[in-house]
């Protein structure tokens, strides 16, 4: 036998041996030590495939439409809240407002009555009042009410003195939407539960216990709910076993499913049920929502309160008797989720709204964006906000060079997927500096999120102020201050220089503050703000009181403040600064950011692990205050 023949037989025997090992080993054993590629969840948008008439047969919708028609036939413009949503004073307030000409002024178009719903009637909170009304309500029982006009997409808010049956104020907010009533919440749930597309995608007929966030206002880019021209909410069905969630965007203006979206939740061991949290609602309402609170510490004097939807607000702040701030707060958190691969979007099915075909187009670079605006506020005031947890806390700063005033806001089931937790924090330093801080503690509905907190900062440097940004000189080395003469904005919020902006008295440039954007230099593991800064001329109706939802959640080219840019002069005027950071969350192992998860701890129990993201600018006095 030749050498070549022996070699060939040897190779054949080895091959047969390897084949036998492969054949008789358990399935998968040969790859047990091999790192397999991670399967990426296919994120899909589901467009409506059925006529909206199917939803008119739902009992909750039928009853609602019947009541609405009877209301209009009887000459009543506003559909009232039912008794199960009102206490005795609230019922009285509703009757007072139904006879108030000013409150009902926008409910007619010619002789036609427009579709309006009363959304909520609850005890008035101090952040909705001016000083005159606040003085009245200190000695009287006051309630506030909101109605929504479905035709004009606007909200009307009124404050009523229950003791005297007098309407103290009526304000209208064009293009803004109130939190929905309990009845509309039930209707949104019913529409999501009866939607054939939802049943098909879930693979079973869901029940009410399967729904979360049915009353959270939601939108989806390039759906009928884009730009919040319709009143929309986003009931969500979470599948923890497969780490995904189905969003059902319900259009309450059209009373139908607008679209649905599968999205990944990211890995989690969070249990399906967690203990109920004690929010101490009554204590918070009585002590922090219905009246102002006061703090004096280390030379600082601060008035603060919890608002209906603008989180924790500080007002009338001074340092050793020198005025510093008129107001500072975070009015919204814009939450947007990004899907790659918009080329997979199915646009073959036609959808009609008000008789017109709605086109669904791909986003920029193949992206598709969807999400909603999160509001933070008092636990008994709003049905859709991220709720105040306990009350405001005063704590020392890590460097022992000052203190912070902080408030925790949580969804009740945080840190489960599709629940959020935010912290509003104001840091006050012993040298007269201060910082406005927003903290996101996850977890949200997925690991491809973009968060944008909208900060409103009204300085009290002087009655007439000037605002400057630092620019590089013609020699590309030196810097100089550029005066902003008109309202405007700047993306990127300055260079990485310590002082990128300043605001000062128009009569004394040494009286004011340098502004230091966050680039990760404050020792809180931040990855920077990447913010857009706006400077506008002060107007009371542009956020001095509680501000309703501002702008779109998902249009990354617009932060909502743009609507306040009217090319007005701000030189030697009362200036308001708006600071909008942009944060991307991260769920990668070892790289977590804006994220939370529940894991097995060293004692064998479940423990919550949080990877916060902290943003916000610091304000440093141009001239040190004499103490």
């Amino acid at each position: 036998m030749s050498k070549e023949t022996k070699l060939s037989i040897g190779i054949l025997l080895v091959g047969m041996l390897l084949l036998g090992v492969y054949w008789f080993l358990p399935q998968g054993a040969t790859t047990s030590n091999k790192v397999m590629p991670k399967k990426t969840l296919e994120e899909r948008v589901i467009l409506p495939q059925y006529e909206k008439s199917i939803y008119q047969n739902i009992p909750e919708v039928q009853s609602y439409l019947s009541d609405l028609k009877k209301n209009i036939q009887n000459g009543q413009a506003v559909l009232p809240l039912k008794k199960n949503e009102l206490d005795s004073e609230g019922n009285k307030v509703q009757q007072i407002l139904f006879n108030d000409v000013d409150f009902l002024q926008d409910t007619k178009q010619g002789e036609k009555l427009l579709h309006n719903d009363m959304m909520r009637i609850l005890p008035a909170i101090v952040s909705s009042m001016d000083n005159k009304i606040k003085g009245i309500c200190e000695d009287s029982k006051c309630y506030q009410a909101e109605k929504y006009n479905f035709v004009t997409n606007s909200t009307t808010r009124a404050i009523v003195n229950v003791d005297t049956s007098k309407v103290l104020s009526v304000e209208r907010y064009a293009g803004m939407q109130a939190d929905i009533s309990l009845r509309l919440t039930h209707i949104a749930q019913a529409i999501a539960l009866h939607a054939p597309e939802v049943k098909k995608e879930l693979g079973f007929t869901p029940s009410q216990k399967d729904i979360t966030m049915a009353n959270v206002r939601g939108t989806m880019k390039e759906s009928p709910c884009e730009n919040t021209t319709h009143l929309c909410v986003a009931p969500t069905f979470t599948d923890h076993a497969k780490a995904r969630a189905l969003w059902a965007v319900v259009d309450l203006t059209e009373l139908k499913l607008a679209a649905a979206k599968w999205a990944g939740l990211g890995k989690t061991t969070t249990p399906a049920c967690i203990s109920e949290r004690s929010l101490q609602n009554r204590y918070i309402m009585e002590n922090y929502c219905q009246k102002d609170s006061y703090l004096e510490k280390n030379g600082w004097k601060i008035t603060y309160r919890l608002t209906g939807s603008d989180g924790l607000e500080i007002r009338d702040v001074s340092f050793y008797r020198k005025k510093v701030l008129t107001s500072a707060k975070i009015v919204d958190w814009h939450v947007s989720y990004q899907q790659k691969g918009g080329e997979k979007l199915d646009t073959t099915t036609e959808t009609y709204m008000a008789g017109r075909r709605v086109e669904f187009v791909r986003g920029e670079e193949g992206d598709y964006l969807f999400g909603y605006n999160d509001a933070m506020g008092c636990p008994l005031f709003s049905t859709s906000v991220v709720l105040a947890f306990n009350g405001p806390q005063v704590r020392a700063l890590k460097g022992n060079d000052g203190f912070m005033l902080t408030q925790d806001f949580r969804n009740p089931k945080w840190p489960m997927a599709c629940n959020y937790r935010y912290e509003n924090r104001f840091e006050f330093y012993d040298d007269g500096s201060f910082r406005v801080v927003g903290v996101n503690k996850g977890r949200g509905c997925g690991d491809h999120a973009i968060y944008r907190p909208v900060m409103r900062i009204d300085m009290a440097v002087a009655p007439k102020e000037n605002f400057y940004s630092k620019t590089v000189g013609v020699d590309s080395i030196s810097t100089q201050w550029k005066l902003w003469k008109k309202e405007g904005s700047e993306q990127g919020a300055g260079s990485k220089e310590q002082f990128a902006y300043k605001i000062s008295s128009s009569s004394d440039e040494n009286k004011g503050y340098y502004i230091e954007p966050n680039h990760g230099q404050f020792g809180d593991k931040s990855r920077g703000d990447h913010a857009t800064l706006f400077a506008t001329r002060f107007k009371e109706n542009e956020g001095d009181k509680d501000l309703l939802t501002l702008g779109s959640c998902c249009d990354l080219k617009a932060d909502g403040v743009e609507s306040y840019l009217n090319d007005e002069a701000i030189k030697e005027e009362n200036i308001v600064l708006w600071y909008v950071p942009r944060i991307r969350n991260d769920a990668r192992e070892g790289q977590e950011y804006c994220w939370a998860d529940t894991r097995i701890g060293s004692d064998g129990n479940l423990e919550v692990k949080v990877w916060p993201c902290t943003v916000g600018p610091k304000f440093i006095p141009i001239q040190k205050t004499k103490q």
Side-chain angles (χ1 to χ4, degrees), residues 444-556:
C445 283
D447 50 9
H448 294 288
I450 302 170
Y451 296 99
R452 289 177 295 158
V454 182
M455 301 177 174
R456 182 185 183 275
I457 305 164
D458 183 6
M459 300 293 293
V461 172
K464 293 184 179 181
E465 300 163 334
N466 284 331
F467 180 73
Y468 303 83
S469 58
K470 185 170 283 188
T471 59
V472 180
V474 292
D475 58 1
S476 300
I477 300 175
S478 62
T479 58
Q480 58 189 9
W481 290 108
K482 176 185 176 183
L483 173 66
W484 288 32
K485 296 181 180 180
K486 293 185 178 182
E487 296 177 326
S489 65
E490 181 174 287
Q491 292 183 338
S495 66
K496 288 193 176 182
E497 290 192 40
Q498 183 179 7
F499 303 139
Y501 305 96
K502 71 175 180 179
I503 184 170
S504 64
S505 166
S506 61
S507 60
D508 184 357
E509 287 194 14
N510 290 320
K511 183 181 179 182
Y513 286 80
Y514 295 116
I515 303 172
E516 181 180 2
N518 165 44
H519 303 293
Q521 74 275 33
F522 294 127
D524 49 21
K525 298 182 179 179
S526 172
R527 298 181 185 177
D529 290 348
H530 312 287
T532 300
L533 184 142
F534 299 81
T536 64
R537 188 170 176 173
F538 172 84
K539 291 182 181 178
E540 187 179 44
N541 63 350
E542 292 182 355
D544 188 51
K545 291 189 246 183
D546 240 11
L547 192 65
L548 299 177
T549 300
L550 185 66
S552 166
C553 67
C554 305
D555 185 354
L556 299 182

Side-chain angles (χ1 to χ4, degrees), residues 219-221 247 261 263 335-337 368-372 553-554:
T219 183
M220 187 177 288
K221 192 171 184 181
W247 300 45
K261 169 76 168 67
V335 185
S336 176
Y337 292 92
Y368 201 86
L369 299 170
F370 63 100
Y372 45 75
C553 67
C554 305

